[in-house]
Amino acid sequence: MKNNRSFKHIYIIFAVSMGAIAACIIKSIPLFYGFFIGVFFSIIVFMRNGFSFTALIKMILKGIKECFSVYIIVLLMGSIISVWIASGTVPTMIYYGFDYIVHMNYLLACFMIMVVISFAMGTAFGTISTIGIALLGIGKGLSIPEPILLGAIISGAFIADKISPISALVNLTIKTIDINYKDFFKNMLATLIPTLIVSAIIYYILGKSFTGEVDVSTLKAYQRNIFNTFTISPALLLFPITMIILAVVGVKVIPNMTFGLLGGICISIFFQGIQIKELMHAILFGYHARTGIEELDGILRGGGILPMIEVIFIIIGAVALSSIFEGTNTIAPMIDKMASNIKTKGALIARTSILSIVLTTVACDQTIGILLPGKFLKAKYEEFKIKKTILARSIADTGTTIAPLIPWNVNSIIITVITGVGATAYGLYTVLCYVSPVITILFGYLFVNKKEEFGNF
């Protein structure tokens, strides 16, 4: 009876929280207000059921404190995006990327360019709202339908949230599950490589249907103004490559990102000749390029510490809600009930994937879909003798990745605001976002279930 009451409380809290989050989205109110309403309501509910206000606040503060490094990472990410544009690193990626577009299947080129740049930038939105908008505009000149174009662009962009070493969501995942990025990265490759191959093949086939010529004059104009505004050099590409290598070999994320930020600052000042005052303003508020082409200026802008504050508040709200569920021991019985009849490793991975997808769907954001499975399924993975990196991979491949497919999710709403194309239109063509969960679940049944092979996957 106690468990039934606990489940009822969770359902009520989730309903109120999700209703508040949905209202924030509809009314264009910052999303963290919805999470804070959920936290406030959950405090009232649990106080009425015997928990003291002091005890609940301690639970919240404990959870928030444990994720302190994630907040630092979010602020560093905002700073790095600004500095990497100012230093010429992102403009160099775009400058040389346009050279390859002319000679490739355009749809496949969009996907591959977004994969590379989003991995380096560590943010799906940052990549979509910069290079993604440019690729979308050029593709429309080839008479490629916008939903198909946007599907390829979003598929490539969400590689950032799956595996980039400087992604806030990736670092929230590895922090929650208590693993290091090196092990996470190695384990992710097992499902990421086939996902990329399948997605690339599908985009290649789709792209063959559109044989129009790229508007070379537009690309050349963009390249010319980038070249006139920034000092462009292939050497600048070594900088993000070095950061990625450092992350893969095991350098911790905050020192690595600090190196990236300081290095970018030095390049901006001594190589691009930017004034310190101007650079500090860009780090705080975001960088805004002045290239002489309005569309290009819209591409070469973004980042900043202050715009990241809202992201931090969203994470704090989600962490606070999760911490109350954990501290009151009300979510664990619910997940235990869900996992009680699991008999195989493959079934556990499939159930993890479904739980993460459901939580991301109802929460309108990926954070809850990471935190709750990450916190409460660790013991189950230990029971089945499955490495925690498999848990992290299952979440990253499913709940994290499917967000742009859900029309009411904050990710898809922002994409719609940026591009004018809704999730119901582009969703079918966002191949990677639904191929990834399928491959992860199949992989769990086909390989992880084989005990003798498990250690290699």
Side-chain angles (χ1 to χ4, degrees):
M1 183 64 69
K2 183 179 179 181
N3 281 347
N4 289 335
R5 287 200 302 268
S6 297
F7 294 163
K8 183 179 178 181
H9 296 156
I10 292 173
Y11 297 145
I12 293 172
I13 291 168
F14 260 119
V16 171
S17 301
M18 298 317 116
I21 291 169
C24 289
I25 293 172
I26 293 169
K27 297 294 185 180
S28 299
I29 299 170
L31 194 63
F32 62 83
Y33 286 116
F35 281 102
F36 287 171
I37 289 171
V39 171
F40 178 74
F41 182 75
S42 66
I43 289 174
I44 294 174
V45 169
F46 285 112
M47 284 180 64
R48 288 173 61 89
N49 285 272
F51 289 91
S52 71
F53 177 77
T54 303
L56 292 168
I57 294 298
K58 284 182 178 178
M59 295 173 197
I60 293 172
L61 293 177
K62 180 176 180 289
I64 291 174
K65 183 179 178 181
E66 288 175 351
C67 289
F68 181 76
S69 62
V70 176
Y71 316 139
I72 301 298
I73 289 165
V74 171
L75 295 178
L76 284 170
M77 185 179 72
S79 304
I80 284 175
I81 292 170
S82 295
V83 167
W84 279 18
I85 300 174
S87 68
T89 301
V90 172
T92 295
M93 292 179 188
I94 296 173
Y95 181 87
Y96 289 113
F98 284 160
D99 282 334
Y100 289 98
I101 286 174
V102 177
H103 308 292
M104 291 181 67
N105 175 307
Y106 187 77
L107 211 58
L108 176 61
C110 283
F111 174 64
M112 297 308 298
I113 287 171
M114 292 297 285
V115 165
V116 173
I117 294 181
S118 68
F119 183 74
M121 289 183 67
T123 164
F125 287 146
T127 314
I128 291 170
S129 61
T130 53
I131 183 65
I133 295 299
L135 295 174
L136 186 65
I138 294 165
K140 284 192 286 188
L142 300 175
S143 299
I144 302 175
E146 281 187 82
I148 299 178
L149 271 171
L150 194 55
I153 288 167
I154 294 169
S155 285
F158 270 78
I159 287 295
D161 290 351
K162 278 169 64 72
I163 198 170
S164 172
I166 60 173
S167 162
L169 290 176
V170 168
N171 284 283
L172 180 63
T173 303
I174 63 179
K175 174 69 177 177
T176 301
I177 299 172
D178 192 25
I179 56 176
N180 61 61
Y181 179 79
K182 180 181 178 181
D183 292 339
F184 172 76
F185 178 82
K186 288 167 59 178
N187 206 272
M188 281 292 296
L189 292 179
T191 53
L192 179 64
I193 291 173
T195 298
L196 288 174
I197 291 172
V198 170
S199 301
I201 290 171
I202 293 173
Y203 286 126
Y204 174 76
I205 294 170
L206 286 172
K208 289 180 70 175
S209 303
F210 306 100
T211 56
E213 291 295 324
V214 174
D215 185 355
V216 177
S217 62
T218 300
L219 292 185
K220 293 299 181 185
Y222 280 4
Q223 286 182 311
R224 182 171 58 252
N225 283 52
I226 289 173
F227 189 83
N228 291 336
T229 306
F230 300 91
T231 301
I232 301 298
S233 169
L236 290 174
L237 299 178
L238 295 174
F239 193 55
I241 290 171
T242 301
M243 277 191 66
I244 292 166
I245 291 171
L246 290 175
V248 171
V249 299
V251 175
K252 292 190 175 182
V253 64
I254 290 179
N256 194 6
M257 292 180 75
T258 302
F259 160 75
L261 177 60
L262 295 177
I265 289 173
C266 291
I267 293 172
S268 299
I269 294 171
F270 299 111
F271 195 65
Q272 299 293 346
I274 294 178
Q275 297 295 318
I276 295 176
K277 182 180 178 180
E278 180 184 353
L279 187 60
M280 291 302 104
H281 185 275
I283 289 172
L284 283 174
F285 299 100
Y287 184 82
H288 301 269
R290 299 178 185 86
T291 64
I293 299 179
E294 186 177 349
E295 293 82 1
L296 186 57
D297 290 346
I299 295 167
L300 294 172
R301 64 184 300 172
I305 288 175
L306 293 183
M308 290 293 132
I309 298 298
E310 183 177 341
V311 177
I312 291 175
F313 281 150
I314 291 171
I315 294 173
I316 288 174
V319 168
L321 201 56
S322 172
S323 298
I324 291 175
F325 289 153
E326 181 180 12
T328 55
N329 196 36
T330 51
I331 195 72
M334 183 179 178
I335 293 179
D336 285 343
K337 184 178 180 181
M338 178 211 70
S340 60
N341 60 345
I342 293 175
K343 305 298 182 185
T344 66
K345 294 174 179 177
L348 177 57
I349 289 170
R351 203 71 62 89
T352 303
S353 303
I354 292 168
L355 177 63
S356 185
I357 288 171
V358 168
L359 290 171
T360 295
T361 301
V362 300
C364 308
D365 184 74
Q366 297 128 302
T367 312
I368 288 289
I370 292 170
L371 285 167
L372 295 186
K375 280 178 178 284
F376 297 110
L377 286 176
K378 281 190 285 189
K380 200 70 179 177
Y381 275 69
E382 290 173 3
E383 178 186 329
F384 274 77
K385 295 182 171 57
I386 302 178
K387 293 178 181 177
K388 289 187 290 185
T389 49
I390 303 288
L391 171 58
R393 185 179 74 195
S394 300
I395 293 170
D397 283 347
T398 56
T400 299
T401 306
I402 59 97
L405 302 180
I406 304 163
W408 56 86
N409 189 280
V410 66
N411 292 265
S412 61
I413 288 171
I414 292 175
I415 290 169
T416 300
V417 169
I418 293 173
T419 66
V421 182
T424 53
Y426 68 68
L428 178 63
Y429 306 102
T430 313
V431 175
L432 181 135
C433 295
Y434 54 81
V435 167
S436 178
V438 171
I439 286 180
T440 291
I441 293 171
L442 287 175
F443 202 88
Y445 280 111
L446 294 175
F447 296 105
V448 178
N449 263 333
K450 296 181 180 180
K451 205 170 189 179
E452 67 280 6
E453 296 183 21
F454 171 69
N456 296 322
F457 296 94

